Amino acid sequence: MAYENVLKESMSTRGIIMRWLKLIPYTAIVSLKQGSLFVLFNAFAVFVSFSLYQNESYSWFVSIAMGLSVFCFGVNFILGYSSVKLMQDGVNGSNQDVLGAVILTIRKIIIIFASSFLLGAAIYFTLLPAMYLSGGFKNWYLFILVLIYTFFSPYIIFYPWMIMLEDKSVFESFSASYHLVRSRWIKYALLFFLSALIMFFAVIGIIFFAGLISVWINWEASWSLWRMNQFLGDTMPFNIKLAILFSQMTNFGLKATFSLTAFMLFSLYVAVFGLNMFVMILAVSYKTLNDYNLIASSEKEEKPEPKEDDLFEITSLFKNVKEITIDTKEPETFDDSAIGHLNRSETLRQFNKEDEDTANFGKVKHLVHEYPDPTDSEDEKQ
């Protein structure tokens, strides 16, 4: 594809969205496989917490449940980060290797956590002064922070791709992401922010609509669980709260238990699917930018200029020549009549004579050995 066609087709927002729409079935299937791993690991933590809660060993329940909360956070973080590799495989037409993506994420977990910690620390320390401000100063400070975050986030949004796919270090990943976007900030900033908002409201809307159906089917159980959730508060770890709610859910019968469990599983799948849809937009954009930069660099690459020593000018042969005269009227002086009429054997005999070299006063003699002519007859050889 020519350079100008890349600008018009591959770099266009419509081209990116069309490629993204074609990959929706791939995203749906991968999200189902990935969501099953979410359910498997999180259900294990909830089940252990639920068993400890039922046995009324409160001290063990709190200590182990807190450890399981850290376990759930780490597992969910790894599974979420594996979406980068999975969605990029979809863009490149590779197989859906969910376990391979998880293993790759685990291998690079130190760099992943370090980069995430660096981002978290930067956000924390920039937000910290807002705690000591009040009134209009606080609002203006937060507004300026939002502008700063909005300006820098499109430049560093590809750092997970640099870590997962290009083996970059923490600081190299941020720098490589910046150089990947560079002057195309406005276009991709609008694409990322709009797609993130659309996915967020779509996920919230689907879960809300499914929740209304679940509440309508199980009104009594839903109302009781909602009141208990308000009583437990928002600071309690997710797996501890879910274990307590699940213990109360069983009191309303199998119908309520299965229908509410199905709602939670469906909500989890929708959340994973929405995350992967947004990551797919980034994956298509990443490939587009990579292809664009490769073609642009090859187009702009100049051929090496030859050195002065390598330049060949025909006129340099005649720099020291004053005049060249070729007389075509004079006859040729070469006389080929001396030996021109002789055959091979006679010519060899002529050169076999031991004539003295008069130029060297007879001191040097040229000897030419006679070799038989293969065309001569046997009689002549004898």
Side-chain angles (χ1 to χ4, degrees):
M1 183 181 292
Y3 180 76
E4 56 271 11
N5 292 336
V6 172
L7 289 176
K8 294 177 182 178
E9 298 177 12
S10 298
M11 290 292 291
S12 65
T13 305
R14 181 179 178 275
I16 294 174
I17 294 175
M18 292 304 296
R19 295 175 67 184
W20 169 69
L21 291 175
K22 292 179 181 178
L23 292 169
I24 288 179
Y26 172 88
T27 309
I29 297 174
V30 172
S31 299
L32 185 61
K33 296 179 180 180
Q34 198 178 14
S36 62
L37 292 179
F38 273 101
V39 172
L40 180 64
F41 288 105
N42 287 278
F44 169 75
V46 172
F47 176 75
V48 174
S49 300
F50 173 73
S51 301
L52 293 173
Y53 181 78
Q54 289 294 102
N55 293 331
E56 297 181 356
S57 53
Y58 185 76
S59 59
W60 282 99
F61 169 70
V62 173
S63 59
I64 296 180
M66 291 297 293
L68 290 173
S69 300
V70 177
F71 169 79
C72 284
F73 174 79
V75 169
N76 295 337
F77 184 80
I78 292 173
L79 290 174
Y81 217 95
S82 65
S83 296
V84 173
K85 179 67 168 59
L86 290 171
M87 295 302 105
Q88 200 63 43
D89 288 343
V91 175
N92 296 328
S94 303
N95 296 328
Q96 301 173 356
D97 189 5
V98 179
L99 292 178
V102 173
I103 292 172
L104 177 64
T105 307
I106 294 174
R107 288 177 180 175
K108 301 188 177 186
I109 196 64
I110 296 178
I111 300 178
I112 292 172
F113 271 122
S115 58
S116 301
F117 177 79
L118 183 63
L119 279 179
I123 295 174
Y124 173 77
F125 286 110
T126 52
L127 285 174
L128 189 62
M131 300 180 183
Y132 301 97
L133 298 175
S134 59
F137 291 103
K138 183 176 182 179
N139 295 333
W140 275 107
Y141 182 78
L142 294 176
F143 177 73
I144 294 173
L145 280 184
V146 171
L147 292 180
I148 294 174
Y149 295 156
T150 303
F151 178 78
F152 281 105
S153 56
Y155 284 123
I156 64 174
I157 199 168
F158 288 113
Y159 85 90
W161 277 259
M162 301 300 173
I163 295 175
M164 295 288 290
L165 305 178
E166 300 190 16
D167 296 326
K168 301 290 185 181
S169 63
V170 176
F171 293 102
E172 289 176 346
S173 63
F174 293 112
S175 176
S177 177
Y178 167 77
H179 288 291
L180 189 67
V181 178
R182 284 186 297 186
S183 60
R184 293 169 289 276
W185 178 89
I186 296 178
K187 177 178 184 177
Y188 283 92
L190 292 174
L191 180 64
F192 300 155
F193 291 142
L194 290 178
S195 59
L197 288 176
I198 292 172
M199 288 299 105
F200 175 77
F201 286 111
V203 168
I204 295 298
I206 294 173
I207 293 176
F208 179 76
F209 182 74
L212 291 178
I213 298 176
S214 179
V215 169
W216 179 70
I217 296 175
N218 307 284
W219 170 254
E220 183 180 356
S222 300
W223 175 252
S224 299
L225 294 174
W226 181 80
R227 291 183 61 185
M228 180 170 289
N229 180 60
Q230 294 295 110
F231 174 77
L232 295 175
D234 298 330
T235 58
M236 183 176 291
F238 173 76
N239 62 301
I240 299 177
K241 183 186 294 187
L242 194 60
I244 296 174
L245 294 176
F246 189 75
S247 65
Q248 300 297 319
M249 189 188 304
T250 55
N251 297 329
F252 297 97
L254 291 176
K255 178 183 176 182
T257 302
F258 281 116
S259 61
L260 293 175
T261 303
F263 164 71
M264 287 187 290
L265 293 177
F266 176 76
S267 301
L268 176 64
Y269 173 74
V270 171
V272 174
F273 181 66
L275 170 66
N276 285 339
M277 290 286 282
F278 175 67
V279 176
M280 179 61 78
I281 283 282
L282 297 179
V284 175
S285 302
Y286 172 77
K287 181 172 177 58
T288 303
L289 286 169
N290 253 352
D291 295 344
Y292 172 81
N293 288 334
L294 287 175
I295 295 177
S297 61
S298 63
E299 289 285 338
K300 294 180 180 179
E301 184 178 357
E302 297 181 357
K303 295 182 179 180
E305 296 182 358
K307 299 179 180 179
E308 293 183 359
D309 298 338
D310 299 335
L311 294 176
F312 178 78
E313 296 180 0
I314 192 66
T315 56
S316 63
L317 296 176
F318 305 100
K319 287 182 178 179
N320 299 323
V321 178
K322 296 181 179 179
E323 183 180 357
I324 298 177
T325 303
I326 300 176
D327 190 0
T328 58
K329 297 181 180 179
E330 293 294 331
E332 295 182 356
T333 59
F334 178 73
D335 184 11
D336 59 348
S337 62
I339 60 174
H341 64 284
L342 301 179
N343 59 18
R344 183 175 181 273
S345 59
E346 293 174 345
T347 304
L348 289 174
R349 289 191 185 96
Q350 282 285 2
F351 282 98
N352 194 34
K353 295 179 181 180
E354 299 180 357
D355 296 336
E356 293 184 355
D357 190 349
T358 57
N360 293 297
F361 305 98
K363 295 180 181 179
V364 178
K365 296 181 179 180
H366 294 284
L367 297 178
V368 180
H369 296 281
E370 181 178 356
Y371 294 94
D373 188 355
T375 60
D376 293 345
S377 62
E378 295 292 336
D379 297 337
E380 292 179 357
K381 291 180 181 179
Q382 294 177 358

